[in-house]
Amino acid sequence: MPIDPKFLDLINYGICYVLNEKYGKEETEKVFKEVGKVLYTRIKGKGLISPAKDPMDTLVEIARFLEKMGYMEKIDITRRGDKELELDMHGVSVLDSSVKLVESGRSPSHYMTNIMFAALQDCGIDAELIDLGFDLKGNHVKEKWILK
């Protein structure tokens, strides 16, 4: 039986809330960056994704994996030149908890972001993320990524 995304959202909120309370926002962000590295290594090691020569193709591979796992319903990635991407995310399973955490001054998990950052770091690339907004009712988030 598949896990209901609402349950994942509740679990996400609980984990993030406790980490923020215990360690503070900055340290919690560091923890989740490390979580992203561990998850990327596990996903890659289990053959659940096949990293490509082009790092942007690897990010698309991660997006398809996260859709398949039910983390998000759909992630559209549009290339805007050779160093820029636009991510358009629909049906984000942890959007409600993430918004509540941010609104209360806490750090959310950003699992997808941290997995993708880890993949880029594996290629020696860093990225800047620019939030382009979100629609909580429509469960839609948009970001721009600039690869460095």
Side-chain angles (χ1 to χ4, degrees), residues 33-127:
K33 283 181 184 182
E34 290 300 314
V35 168
K37 290 176 186 177
V38 169
L39 292 176
Y40 175 68
T41 300
R42 292 274 293 166
I43 293 165
K44 186 172 73 168
K46 288 181 164 278
L48 299 170
I49 62 164
S50 302
K53 286 187 178 186
D54 181 345
M56 288 199 226
D57 289 338
T58 300
L59 299 183
V60 170
E61 182 81 13
I62 292 168
R64 300 295 78 85
F65 168 76
L66 293 172
E67 289 171 351
K68 185 173 141 187
M69 294 293 110
Y71 183 70
M72 290 189 194
E73 289 174 13
K74 182 73 178 153
I75 307 169
D76 294 315
I77 299 178
T78 305
R79 293 177 188 232
R80 305 273 187 225
D82 62 339
K83 299 276 186 198
E84 195 172 300
L85 301 169
E86 196 169 283
L87 279 72
D88 203 1
M89 298 159 276
H90 304 272
V92 181
S93 63
V94 296
L95 183 59
D96 186 54
S97 61
S98 296
V99 168
K100 285 180 180 160
L101 289 159
V102 169
E103 286 176 347
S104 67
R106 294 173 177 87
S107 179
S109 58
H110 293 303
Y111 292 117
M112 182 205 76
T113 301
N114 286 314
I115 292 168
M116 289 184 170
F117 275 4
L120 290 173
Q121 287 177 348
D122 197 38
C123 300
I125 298 171
D126 197 13

